[in-house]
Amino acid sequence: MKMDSDLLHSPAVGLAEEEEADMNDWKLPLAFMKKRHSEKIEGSKALAQSWRMKDRMKTVSVALVLCLNVGVDPPDVVKTSPCARLECWIDPLSMSPQKALETIGANLQKQYENWQPRARYKQSLDPTVDEVKKLCTSLRRNAKEERVLFHYNGHGVPRPTVNGEIWVFNKNYTQYIPLSIYDLQTWMGSPSIFVYDCSNAGIIVKSFKQFALQREQELEVAAINPSHPLAQMPLPPSMKNCIQLAACEASELLPMNPDLPADLFTSCLTTPIKIALRWFCMQKSAKLVPGVTLDLIEKIPGRLNDRRTPLGELNWIFTAITDTIAWNVLPRDLFQKLFRQDLLVASLFRNFLLAERIMRSYNCTPVSSPRLPPTYMHAMWQAWDLAVDICLSQLPTIIEEGTAFRHSPFFAEQLTAFQVWLTMGVENRNPPEQLPIVLQVLLSQVHRLRALDLLGRFLDLGPWAVSLALSVGIFPYVLKLLQSSARELRPLLVFIWAKILAVDSSCQADLVKDNGHKYFLSVLADNYMPAEHRTMAVFILAVIVNSYNTGQEACLQGNLIANCLEQLSDPHPLLRQWVAICLGRIWQNFDPARWCGVRDSAHEKLYTLLSDPIPEVRCAAVFALGTFVGNSAERTDHSTTIDHNVAMMLAQLINDGSPVVRKELVVALSHLVVQYESNFCTVALQFIEEEKNYTVPSPANTAELGNLTPVRDSPAIPRLRSVNSYTNIRTATTARNLNKSLQNLNLNEEGGPAAFSPGNLSTSSSASSTLGSPDNDEYILSFETIDKMRRVSSYSSLNSLIGVSFNSVYTQIWRVLLHLAADPFPEVSDLAMKVLNSIAYKATMNARPQRILDSGSLTQSAPASPTSKGTHIHQAGGSPPMPSTSSSSLTNEVPKPPAREQPATRPPYTPTLGGQAPHSHQFPRTRKMFDKGPEQAAEDGDEPGGHRNYISAALQTGLCDWSAKYFAQPVMKIPEEHDLESQVRMERQWRFLRNARVRRHSRSITQKGVSRLDDQIFINRNPGVPSVVKFHPFNTCIAVADKDSICFWDWEKGERLDYFYNGNPRYTRITAMEYLNGHDCSLLLTATDDGALRIWKNFADQKNPEMVTAWQGLSDMLPTTRGLARRVSIYLDRSKQGGAGMVVDWEQETGLLMTSGDVRVIRIWDTDREMKVQDIPTGADSCVTSLSCDSQRSLIVAGLGDGSVRVFDRRMGPNECRVMTYREHGAWVVKAHLQKETDGHIISVSVNGDVRFFEPRTPDSINVLQTVKGLTALDIHPQANLFACGSMNQFIAVYNANGDVISNIKYYDGFMGQRIGAISCLAFHPHWPHLAVGSNDYYMSIYSAEKRLR
């Protein structure tokens, strides 16, 4: 068939119609496409945060060493005339030499004090070697581990030597004395910073590094060789943390230009604004600013540290620009070290950038260690020149006429640049250069609001942006702003803090320390705040109290609990969710908060959220109630009563439609189990004993004897081989990947005598090791045992056997956990298995540890007995059994090493078992200890603590961390599906066009009328007997289900696309399938006759099928009537056969799923809320065999096993909603179909072959047709007025609306025209005139109208 290819090129017929169909597709809601379905429920990987200063430092002592020897020039420097003379802006020749020296020293100290007023300053003017030594050692002694600065001015002594010496004087100034840098290092120690202002200063930096290297080597030698002379000496300090700033390279002299100060380098480092302005005036471009002279510069009004004055503003702009240049040019870790660790070092390095710019213009290259990349050409310097220009151009008028100073537009312009970066850019690019400036702007009230807004928008780009902002140093600024009372900042600050805490939750401590939590408490309590901002506030508080005791105490005193309880009923779902999570976290392991909650009856207020329409909110409520009962403080009767109350409320969620909620429920109940461990152990023992003595007449035991394939996996293992012969290797892996629940099974028949025979060994042990769960835990209670227990407790007269205690809360909760262990969603059942096994292990260990030694019990005990502990102790080393090679090759799995080695020192705990080793190999290997090695059994009873932690640590759902990811991801970005240019949107558009084409083309065929339908367009042998077939409405894929697996075929190409295991237990079968979202991203729903619904995605394409969700659609399916082996008399022999299984009908427009079957109700599920919305009683005493609904008229039609057809109006109450009952059929209704038109009829057919047409408003049928007897399957084409009947007598008859047979199909086309098998299922395509037929001989064929029509 070349249908699709034709359509692609067909002319646009009836465009209006096509567009209309398209619009309908756009409007249809999608089911199960929320984040909770598409991503794993876990937090994001925490980025390692490097922004915190691990070692903040202070420079506490400063040595100012000046070797000027005023009036005497050193011999190796020839000075120009005139020459640069000023030292610290003082002309030394303008006063006596001694006074000049002292004044210069005092001035230098003042210049440094501007940057670090609190340090100890010591001057050493024209010193000797001893004076320098004394000075340095005393400063280091006082500074301890902090930083010391050594400033050396060598303008009055010779240049440094290549041997690594600088010069000082002798006592009477007759000689220059060399001082070795090596000695200087020893006296100064580390951490230190050195500033050298002298010619050839680069030599010192080189020598310093060589000496530092030499030291490292000496240290290593001393460490290896204790007799080395160095080893006895105190170890020399390491020089790793030393920083050096030198005025020029090793071969350069300092500039001698008379317009510059002699200590140009020192001026740049300590008086940057003054020298920058002078240098600006000396440039040619300064002529463009008329009236500005060097004298005028001295008169700039204002103070450096007052940002509102011209001088202060220039200083502020200078800081912002140098910081920005450094942040953009330096590697991040170097930036942190030099610009954020120590205030004085940061200032010196910012000013060093200026020194590089100015001194390079005089052919001098300042040097630093660590070395910086060159920055003197950075574009931001032009912004600085502009700011200076704007400031200086105002000077003459300000000074002469006293006009007001106009502030610089610098910051506003930089914010605009930042805004442009935010609005215009693509996602993957360099970070915005202006980030450090935004930080500076937060200091100014004028621009603060705008800066915070832009900062918030930047942080919203994702975790990388938050990390960047934190590395720039934003944290102290936004922390300080929490002290501001300005209301307009609240929304912005709350947003920014939510972003920070979503990425780095360790900030909780800083917030509490600075009382920041009070800010967010007040936001939360402020009802005038929009819900989004209160949500962020409560998220922030939830992070503050998360596993942080100080935070919990602070927030408890801040009345957090009462605040949260008031907001539980807020209409904003995200707020409700976070309020519940916040409550759950504040009383987690914090008893005062729990009691405060009890006083405010918090648990009762939380109950309302258990039926919230949003699954995430229900989840959060379960989490909160779980931690509420999970406190490990002393118990009183009062608290026990509350715990029981909460437990019974939680138990009602056992059949919640969302697996996320049920997973949280298991964890919540596990808290209770840990609290009341001994009570649960008692219950567990009773159940285990009971299960051994009671045989359930379950289908599991009626399976054909002699069939010893591993239980519940019967499809997977034998079939994997046949799959490979179909050359589809994928299934081999999917069977493993998909069904995690397979992994915890006991792989032997319960109590079957063959279980221990050596002949059976190979299969069971290899299977068990292949399917052992991921961490190699094999369980005490197998899935089978648990399933049996569950059924025993439901269907036996246990109560009379055990007595009243059986109905205690603990028993009820144990039953709930048993039920959850059989949950169709693997993650839920895995968690529940863990809890049950943990208690079973505890119970059996505490009950009879001594029985282990009784060798007899080992070989005879039934698999589920509590005595069979420690069975593979005699394996070498006591490690768990390894998967055998044969079995691991089956699933291409690399055998894992044993999960944990027992300590080899202890002898195995098996004194009497020595001679009995052979038995251990016959014993089924499904019985590894829960967590500890078997040999610890004896002492286990004494220390429950360790075990408790095991269960609580192992059980977490990641819900809270996953919910927190919302705040780390972009909130303001348009979602991809709404972005008209996005890939997602384009794909969707393509699918909707395809849908419109299929609808149009198929309608043109069906309108012509179909006169025959026997052209076989597809036939293939299915891997299992087809039980349900379902065409995909728009692509060429068909799903064929057998008992417990689903096969996908492409009927156009005739090839198999996929085959995977549905995961239902072995005594259940798939009885219905539906495509959800068939018009768009299709999901497949499968229903099994135990009432479970599973939803799959990624099938029939190149990915592995994944289960999106699964839940118990009908909880009380009657298990005794479940069908087992599928016989030929599939729909006839009902008495032996069992019921109809589960039937479903899906309404895409409303997102409602109707379910029924061997029950007395029709249950309606809302897939959006993932909860049951309605139970309609059928009022009949037999099963529902067919469902059909029409959303326009709110009608549901049900066909029943007793032959009646019942019509319900779901808008009415449960007692009056049955609006019509037709009792004209005498037998089982095979199909009841409600036509979708406004006046559509009901068509129903019974096993006897009578087809009846009803008009919903009239009590009798309006038409009856008789078709074949012995009907096993029937379907009605929704468009073409055709219906097809399949008979057990091996033929198919197709009728038109008048009841005329248009086709009779008895033989397959092709190979020798073999006769068709008994028909097991058939289905029409919703649009094309195609009929798919599955028969008991495993074949699935598709028939269509004649070729010329198509």
Side-chain angles (χ1 to χ4, degrees), residues 867-1063:
T867 55
S868 43
K869 312 250 31 79
T871 49
H872 23 261
I873 293 165
H874 352 274
Q875 295 206 348
S879 61
M882 288 287 287
S884 62
T885 43
S886 63
S887 66
S888 57
S889 62
L890 184 71
T891 53
N892 355 351
E893 187 141 279
V894 185
K896 295 194 182 75
R900 51 191 296 279
E901 290 292 333
Q902 277 93 359
T905 48
R906 273 195 199 183
Y909 181 63
T910 49
T912 56
L913 281 175
Q916 304 232 325
H919 288 304
S920 68
H921 295 295
Q922 293 172 18
F923 198 84
R925 293 187 183 178
T926 44
R927 194 80 73 263
K928 200 188 91 190
M929 238 40 65
F930 189 62
D931 184 38
K932 301 182 170 138
E935 68 276 31
Q936 295 171 354
E939 310 90 281
D940 217 89
D942 313 335
E943 33 103 27
H947 175 74
R948 239 179 211 207
N949 301 345
Y950 173 78
I951 177 172
S952 52
L955 292 187
Q956 280 166 346
T957 59
L959 165 89
C960 301
D961 299 338
W962 174 75
S963 307
K965 260 203 318 208
Y966 167 82
F967 295 100
Q969 302 309 322
V971 178
M972 304 181 199
K973 206 174 101 188
I974 349 176
E976 209 180 359
E977 56 269 26
H978 294 192
D979 174 3
L980 295 176
E981 301 296 308
S982 71
Q983 170 95 0
V984 175
R985 178 84 178 197
M986 299 291 194
E987 287 173 4
R988 178 160 290 171
Q989 214 162 348
W990 177 86
R991 283 193 289 268
F992 292 171
L993 284 169
R994 170 202 68 184
N995 301 352
R997 262 197 329 265
V998 169
R999 288 190 189 107
R1000 200 178 60 245
H1001 198 79
S1002 62
R1003 197 180 303 124
S1004 68
I1005 295 174
T1006 51
Q1007 279 166 357
K1008 287 178 200 161
V1010 177
S1011 56
R1012 291 182 59 191
L1013 200 121
D1014 52 7
D1015 183 11
Q1016 181 179 300
I1017 59 171
F1018 171 94
I1019 180 160
N1020 234 312
R1021 186 182 163 93
N1022 206 52
V1025 174
S1027 60
V1028 190
V1029 287
K1030 194 83 187 170
F1031 276 104
H1032 186 284
F1034 298 108
N1035 66 25
T1036 59
C1037 166
I1038 184 166
V1040 185
D1042 50 56
K1043 185 166 158 290
D1044 49 18
S1045 301
I1046 300 136
C1047 189
F1048 288 90
W1049 298 91
D1050 180 325
W1051 48 262
E1052 203 176 61
K1053 298 194 181 128
E1055 59 189 43
R1056 189 166 89 178
L1057 303 171
D1058 209 335
Y1059 184 48
F1060 65 88
Y1061 176 41
N1062 184 47

Side-chain angles (χ1 to χ4, degrees), residues 565 568 600-609:
L565 291 174
L568 276 178
D600 287 348
S601 51
H603 52 296
E604 289 167 18
K605 293 177 182 164
L606 277 165
Y607 291 162
T608 51
L609 292 192

Side-chain angles (χ1 to χ4, degrees), residues 1158-1169:
D1158 297 320
V1159 284
R1160 302 295 171 256
V1161 292
I1162 297 169
R1163 181 162 294 173
I1164 304 180
W1165 290 89
D1166 180 334
T1167 55
D1168 186 47
R1169 301 188 242 171

